[in-house]
Amino acid sequence: MAYTEEELKKELETKEYEYGFYTDIESDTFPKGLNEEVVIAISKKKEEPEWMTLWRLKAFKIWKEMVEPEWPNVKYEKPDFQDISYYSAPNVKPKYDSLDEVDPELLDTFNRLGISLEEQKKLAGVAVDIVMDSVSVATTFKETLAEKGIIFCSISDAIKNHPELVKKYIGTVVPQTDNFYAALNSAVFSDGSFCYIPKGVRCPMELSTYFRINQAGTGQFERTLVVADEDSYVSYLEGCTAPSRDENQLHAAVVELIALDGAEIKYSTVQNWFPGTKEGKGGVFNFVTKRGICEKNAKISWTQVETGSAVTWKYPSCILKGDNSIGEFYSVAVTNNHQQADTGTKMIHLGKNTKSTIISKGISAGHSQNSYRGLVQVGSRAENARNFSQCDSLLMGNDCGAHAFPYIEAKNKSAMIEHEATTSKIGEDQIFYCNQRGIDTEKAIALIVNGFSKEVLNKLPMEFAAEAQKLLEISLEGSVG
Amino acid sequence: MLKITNLHANIEGKEILNGINLTVNAGEVHAIMGPNGSGKSTLASVIAGKEEFEVTQGEITMDNESLEELSPEERAHKGVFLSFQYPVEIPGVSVTNFVKTAINESRKAQGLEEMSAKEMLQLLREKSELLGIDRKFLSRSLNEGFSGGEKKRNEIFQMAMLEPKLAILDETDSGLDIDALRVVANGVNTLKSKDNAVILITHYQRLLEYIVPDFVHVLYNGKIVKSGTKELALELEEKGYDWLKPETVI
């Protein structure tokens, strides 16, 4: 069928959420509600040392005094924090040495997601630490990593086995007081990943974690801590899919990256949580705090492809503390139907000769609202700081919105800050042109969207790029005609 | 090959085509000339299946099959190619990637497998040489930042890659300098065969010095008011269009 405005609208209605199924694995779930006892119980359940319990309790005290932020450009019904269960773990406790020992139903789930462990194993150089409902249930490639002295494990294991590292770094980039959701996460985080790359080591494989929210009504509070010691390098991948569900699911993760002198961290995310139905019912609330700190000559790159969640509130940021450090942010955010996203980054230039690059691509369709919010801050001692920001929006149809909220604060005269922004719309002419060359409308939209997002997709590791490209297509395709 | 019978078409209720009759056989080159607003580009769009236009009467058939129910991409799969007067930009999509997608979509529609990378590369090399196209050009984003001449050359390049049965060139000569015009015309002449046909839509006789038409038609107020051979184009160049106004013709 050829294209008209009316048809484009029809066409952008979401396909049924592809990964909407539910795995029935018996769970060990806490009753709903949150108080000091629950915080202590989580800590106990994780067999944590006392300092960790106290750290959580401090965070809980802080959180109780805080209010949910109102400034994002999103509207949603505030979650009832007493109506959430704060801990849920798959019943299968022991960790496995091989895939044969893993619950077949779980493996089946991953197979249906098209991310089977078998496949993952075959993908050269990818170690997988799967987080399903908060507890890691399978870890592979650990030995290879161990040979290099790399630690890659669940945060719970790290607290038990490497307390000195966790204690030294947790909360140093995102303190408990940082914001409402970070404080909540600090109090109740159930699991997540920990990664430490020793001095001078180049991590030989992409480290990757698949997150999944699986229990009805369980919020997920992941905590990730990546420490790259001096002159080390690591590329970390995070990807998510979730079962389709009617009620809202809260997700408030915290990710902290620490790049010591001369270290480099690449952190890539493909996020595909349930965005709600096309009528705007249900979907995941994704309120995430991600931040990294760069010491001297260090570099942190955030790359994200965000296609899911009903409401997204997320600003992966870099504190460029050390001289000559570099921060990068590459983002594609897609919103369709009634999704809302308020996402962007903060680049805080503190050291001399620090550089940052921001490339943000927002794609809005349906009745969705897509906002870019970015802060470029140059401190008074940050001589010769440089920033380049590019912020492009692509609109599909007439009922969606794209917004940009760029903030620039420069306290040093030598700073050079560039900001470019464009807004375009997929036009009937573009579609007709493709149609005339034999390309149908659905394929044409995929082609145009992938072209628009190319600069960011190119930054993703190979094995992730294809998946991301597919996700973009799935998110925007609809039944044609 | 192409048969248009008593074609009437309008846009937003305004009638633009007013009873067109035209038959194009394989191996022929037809030129359609006429003043601004006579309906030339509309005719091209209607043949290609642009849905803004409503066909109210008459029909278009290709190889004796009506195009009426076919979408633009289905018409493309049947071998209809339109070289656009104003080709659109698609940022981030390379010429190669675009052409590759177009070829494979057509093959898919015909039940064929995707073209192998090796074959594709060979074809790209062959056709870009034919049209004197620099290989670097092929990795640029489609039409983004292209000069007028580059855009038109890119259209002809795509035509060469897709090898359509019926190519409609809508004002391909406009905005071309004489060198570019020569290159484009050369390309069209090389691609011309006894199995395909070309419709040239143009204002000026200049293009027809390079691509010699078998027939020339004059479109006026949505109707073909005169048809002839290439000499008609020369006559038009000399006398303009006024003498062909319907009342004068009668």
Side-chain angles (χ1 to χ4, degrees), chain A residues 430 433 435-438 454, chain B residues 76-77 80 82 89 92 155 158:
Chain A
Q430 275 177 319
Y433 186 88
N435 288 161
Q436 206 296 308
R437 298 296 138 91
K454 195 168 142 193
Chain B
H77 299 156
V80 176
L82 171 61
E89 295 180 4
E155 293 291 285
Q158 289 183 45

Side-chain angles (χ1 to χ4, degrees), chain A residues 67-137:
Chain A
V67 287
E68 271 193 88
E70 298 276 354
W71 50 262
N73 186 27
V74 292
K75 290 186 189 76
Y76 60 94
E77 203 178 308
K78 298 251 181 334
D80 176 354
F81 293 95
Q82 295 304 334
D83 196 36
I84 292 170
S85 164
Y86 287 85
Y87 183 83
S88 147
N91 217 6
V92 205
K93 280 282 170 192
K95 308 248 167 175
Y96 311 97
D97 296 325
S98 85
L99 286 177
D100 311 341
E101 294 173 41
V102 178
D103 190 326
E105 201 178 336
L106 179 62
L107 287 182
D108 186 50
T109 304
F110 284 107
N111 283 325
R112 284 160 75 186
L113 282 169
I115 51 164
S116 74
L117 279 176
E118 288 91 330
E119 243 178 32
Q120 290 298 330
K121 279 183 147 179
K122 276 183 215 151
L123 281 172
V126 180
V128 184
D129 179 59
I130 300 158
V131 177
M132 173 143 174
D133 255 36
S134 324
V135 166
S136 312
V137 291

Side-chain angles (χ1 to χ4, degrees), chain A residues 425-438:
Chain A
K425 197 174 156 188
I426 292 192
E428 293 184 15
D429 286 351
Q430 275 177 319
I431 303 277
F432 178 64
Y433 186 88
C434 294
N435 288 161
Q436 206 296 308
R437 298 296 138 91

Side-chain angles (χ1 to χ4, degrees), chain B residues 150-165:
Chain B
E150 284 173 327
K151 282 185 183 173
K152 296 298 170 70
R153 199 183 291 197
N154 180 31
E155 293 291 285
I156 301 304
F157 172 67
Q158 289 183 45
M159 177 183 123
M161 290 293 291
L162 290 163
E163 298 179 332
K165 271 198 216 160

